[in-house]
Amino acid sequence: MTTQEPELLKPAASPQGLHAVVISILAGSVTLMALAWAVDLFRQIGLNIYNEQYVAAMLGLALATVFVSRPLRGAGRPTLPWYDIVAALLGLVACGYVAVNYPDLLARLWMRPLDALIVGVIILALSIEGLRRATGWAMVILVLVALGFAVLGHLIPGALQGRDVANDRLVIFLALDTNAVLGMPLMIASTVVVAFVFFGNLLNHSGGGSFFTDVSMAMMGRYRGGAAKVAVTASALFGSVSGSAVANVVSTGVITIPLMKRGGYKPHHAGAIEAVASTGGQLMPPVMGAAAFLMAEIIQVPYASIATAALLPAVLYYAALLIQVDLLAARDGLSSPPREMLPRLALVLRNGWPFLLPFVVLIYALFSLNKRPEFAAFLAAVSVILIGFWFEWRKRRQASDAAADGPGLNLRTIARVLRDTGLSVTDILMIATAAGIIIGVMNISSLGFAMTLVLVQLGNGSLLLLLLIAALACIILGMGMPTLGVYLLLATLIAPSLVEIGVEPIAAHLFVLYFGMMSMITPPVAIAAFAAASISGSKSMRTGYTAMVMGWSAYLIPFLFIGAPALLLIGTPTEIIWTFTTAFVGVWLVSAAVVGYLFTAANAAQRLLLGAGGLLLLLPAQVGGLSSDGLGLVLGLAAALWMHLLPAAQKT
């Protein structure tokens, strides 16, 4: 979970002097507070505090960090504007008041006391402005629409009519109730997310990101289209612990995109491959960019159930991408990089094998010790620190120019990681606060029931139509937002409607995660593709549309596991094996149709046969039955035989 190139708005100007020190203190405090909670430090020193007290304190630090690091008009100003200082202090004071006095406030909330109303107004107002500075206007408008419904919904006639809620009750409920701002989204973001972002940042700064790229180059570089396969495998490995598709693009893409271009890939293809591969890292177990842990908390199932269910769809996603880059290399006659450019796997593993240990620690703590996700991430982070210090000690012993560029960590780097982590998670904390406001509105005004009713009515009784509407809504709502923010929002707004009509909860939440992630490569706001385009030197929109085509499987796979739960490992072993096998063959055939190459270049008729056969194989058995699988195999084999036995036909 790196902080390079965060996906949202950046500070207007580089802070200097005291301003920079204040930002470092506030941002570092956000990280340290979360780590203290992860190790249960407060209880160990005798402070038995409510979850809501911790969350309120984290919100206060996040608000102050946002206002001092993203001034309203910071460009060209030598000092921070006074009104941003006032806003930061108000955020700290209001949230601090809640954190200190929450037990007393909780006992008096039913009376709607004046102090609760005052701090509630301050917290809501500053949260909305902080959200605007962190994410722009799109999500602010969504929050304002929800608040408008809460205030005026009782005036709407018909089935969409909301409850009539007094304004003071609404403000106090949204700001201080556990079913609103101080509820689950902000709690998860303040614990699990921060811990994993810290772990990912440490791993990247210590040299772990470079290690995974080198492993991928050593393993895949010598094969046909090796440069692109390096990009895919490196992004999958590093992307699983990265909470940002754009950060993943920047971290691995600066190496893999130039490598692909030197290997003969066109700039827009190189950018698109990296964007699709980096985006998919958030869908790949075991870590899934921490989304799996959020999902487990939200739907109240073990983390292992989420990671297990997500495995086969992620394999199909990356299989489709690897097949496409392989066939693209064959079609265009692209060679692998020169062997002298590739590191030797044995040497890479010998020098960097310790970077595998944090993942052993993480998985062991999660699955064997059954520790909380944030504590498991903390243990993994500690192991990274120890490994980084060991590498740094070894560098100092060697004291050579070559060793100076090697992996390692020192205290200054750790301090920078603490600061960068705090800065990067403020976006997520603001989005989690917004999600809490929306959840609160849904709880107090019946908006949740109204949205479910609207979606069901739009679907007109058709599950497929409802899923299409939900998919489009997910892509639109997810545009321009970071991974975890996308999921938090969609899990709040869309997933409950799918569960309400009978979709399995895990399937519904994976569905919205997939389509929320596809906003990263879907124009017009394909931010992961645009970041890759800036590195590859290609046109942004062309790279975005190419990424959309190459990522075709992600637009289809969610519909498959809704219709075929066996892809989520729900069913008998025979059902699971058959469903995955036919889906894998289907992915291969459709990928060949997309690229226009199998054994030889394919003409239009052959591509049509390949695509039709692949789609029939992908069709869930509950819909098409064995007959669709059989027909798909026949069509696919017919196209393959046609291309293999009669290559001249492709010239027609």
Side-chain angles (χ1 to χ4, degrees), residues 378-589:
F378 174 81
L379 292 178
V382 170
S383 68
V384 173
I385 291 174
L386 295 176
I387 291 166
F389 281 168
W390 179 76
F391 274 120
E392 189 72 20
W393 172 79
R394 194 175 68 169
K395 281 197 306 185
R396 293 180 183 277
R397 285 194 61 190
Q398 293 174 350
S400 66
D401 292 338
D405 295 328
L409 276 178
N410 53 44
L411 292 176
R412 181 174 296 180
T413 304
I414 292 174
R416 186 166 67 249
V417 169
L418 288 169
R419 172 188 183 274
D420 291 348
T421 299
L423 284 173
S424 63
V425 298
T426 52
D427 298 337
I428 306 298
L429 294 174
M430 290 297 96
I431 292 170
T433 303
I437 294 173
I438 294 171
I439 290 173
V441 170
M442 295 173 74
N443 284 329
I444 202 170
S445 70
S446 76
L447 177 60
F449 174 78
M451 284 195 61
T452 300
L453 182 64
V454 168
L455 282 174
V456 172
Q457 288 177 342
L458 287 174
N460 197 26
S462 168
L463 176 60
L464 178 60
L465 182 56
L466 179 59
L467 291 174
L468 288 171
I469 294 169
L472 180 61
C474 289
I475 291 175
I476 293 172
L477 291 172
M479 287 181 175
M481 292 177 59
T483 307
L484 295 167
V486 169
Y487 173 67
L488 269 175
L489 180 63
L490 299 178
T492 301
L493 294 178
I494 305 296
S497 300
L498 299 180
V499 174
E500 187 70 23
I501 63 170
V503 176
E504 285 281 340
I506 288 180
H509 282 258
L510 283 174
F511 184 93
V512 300
L513 175 62
Y514 264 74
F515 279 106
M517 287 303 307
M518 287 308 98
S519 65
M520 302 289 176
I521 60 171
T522 306
V525 192
I527 55 177
F530 294 168
S534 68
I535 299 174
S536 68
S538 58
K539 293 182 179 179
S540 296
M541 292 303 292
R542 186 178 187 187
T543 303
Y545 286 119
T546 304
M548 189 175 175
V549 171
M550 299 199 78
W552 67 267
S553 63
Y555 298 96
L556 185 59
I557 288 172
F559 291 96
L560 300 184
F561 59 63
I562 292 288
L567 281 179
L568 302 180
L569 298 178
I570 300 173
T572 65
T574 302
E575 291 173 339
I576 294 169
I577 293 171
W578 177 260
T579 301
F580 177 72
T581 303
T582 55
F584 186 85
V585 176
V587 161
W588 200 303
L589 294 178

